[in-house]
Amino acid sequence: MSFVVLVLVGVLVGITTVLFGFGGGFVTVPIVTVADAALGGDAVRVATATSALVMLVNAAVATASARRGTLGPLRGRTGLFLLLGLGGAVGVAAARFAPDALLRWGFVAYLAVTVADLLLRPGFLRPAATRAQRGARGGVPTALGLPIGAAAAFLGVGGSVMTVPMMRRAGSSMAAAATLANPLTLAITLPAASVTLLVPATGLHGADATVGLVGAVDVRAAAALLLGAMPAIVLLRRRPPRLPETVHAWGYLALLVAAGVAVAAG
């Protein structure tokens, strides 16, 4: 896959970071899996590692460029951030020893269960008219920080697939939930990206496995994706689009489906 194509995909990554709080994970994992298909079963492992770095940078840019006051519900949530970071370190360490098929099909199964949950359970697509404003504390229980961080880092998804629906059901709008998801993703991906960059990719094999890799990260793909994503994030933060809640929620769901299909087909 050419560098230019990856840059263009990076623009989409930036858009999803702002609109859905993904940090790019649901776009990065499928696209890097395809771009590094020559690595065979190791492609998903490299995609997951590359996703962690891309999400780290994107989440940092999105958080830094968020409007003052929008991150208020997360103030004082130090315990949550620490547990998310710890979970991120545990998840990425486990991923280095997991079978390639588990990473691929775990990603697909994770998205399938989430899509079914969003469709069948009220509160995301069909929010109750009298929802209590539990979102005042961010909507994510501190005790869930460790499992959320571990699952997100293991699969390379960033955590927003769990945190955005939680915040949505707690009373947040889609725009607010997506904004709050970025610093949570940052907490998860900081240790995860550090491990994938610093620890040699001993689990990878084959003559091409170490070409262009730093640790387990495809730095060429990461650079191209970030080159397209960062300007898009800054632009959309300055001029945020105004989407109807229903359209915004269905767009989130559609992207989950597309990401799952792309990884399954890859």
Side-chain angles (χ1 to χ4, degrees):
M1 187 173 294
S2 73
F3 191 86
V4 173
V5 171
L6 287 171
V7 171
L8 294 177
V9 173
V11 176
L12 176 60
V13 169
I15 293 171
T16 64
T17 299
V18 174
L19 291 184
F20 306 114
F22 286 159
F26 289 109
V27 179
T28 302
V29 171
I31 202 66
V32 177
T33 299
V34 173
D36 288 334
L39 298 179
D42 290 327
V44 177
R45 193 181 305 279
V46 170
T48 301
T50 305
S51 173
L53 177 60
V54 172
M55 287 189 294
L56 171 64
V57 177
N58 284 344
V61 172
T63 300
S65 59
R67 292 183 177 180
R68 185 176 298 177
T70 56
L71 303 179
L74 293 178
R75 288 189 186 126
R77 302 299 305 277
T78 304
L80 174 62
F81 283 104
L82 289 176
L83 287 175
L84 287 170
L86 178 59
V90 170
V92 75
R96 298 184 66 81
F97 302 101
D100 302 321
L102 178 59
L103 295 176
R104 177 187 297 272
W105 295 110
F107 184 95
V108 174
Y110 183 73
L111 295 193
V113 170
T114 300
V115 168
D117 176 69
L118 298 184
L119 286 171
L120 299 175
R121 239 189 350 138
F124 185 81
L125 294 174
R126 305 181 300 280
T130 58
R131 283 183 302 177
Q133 293 303 310
R134 294 168 300 188
R137 290 292 293 162
V140 182
T142 299
L144 293 182
L146 183 59
I148 288 174
F154 183 79
L155 298 173
V157 297
S160 61
V161 71
M162 286 180 273
T163 59
V164 168
M166 282 181 184
M167 291 185 282
R168 174 82 166 147
R169 289 185 171 116
S172 296
S173 66
M174 281 296 300
T179 299
L180 294 173
N182 284 308
L184 299 180
T185 294
L186 182 59
I188 295 169
T189 55
L190 180 58
S194 300
V195 171
T196 57
L197 280 169
L198 298 176
V199 179
T202 54
L204 299 176
H205 52 78
D208 296 328
T210 57
V211 176
L213 300 184
V214 174
V217 175
D218 183 339
V219 290
R220 173 182 172 274
L225 291 167
L226 290 170
L227 185 62
M230 287 190 289
I233 292 171
V234 173
L235 178 62
L236 288 178
R237 277 287 185 240
R238 291 179 177 176
R239 298 173 181 246
R242 297 182 179 180
L243 297 177
E245 282 293 302
T246 301
V247 173
H248 204 160
W250 275 101
Y252 181 97
L253 184 66
L255 189 56
L256 295 186
V257 173
V261 169
V263 170

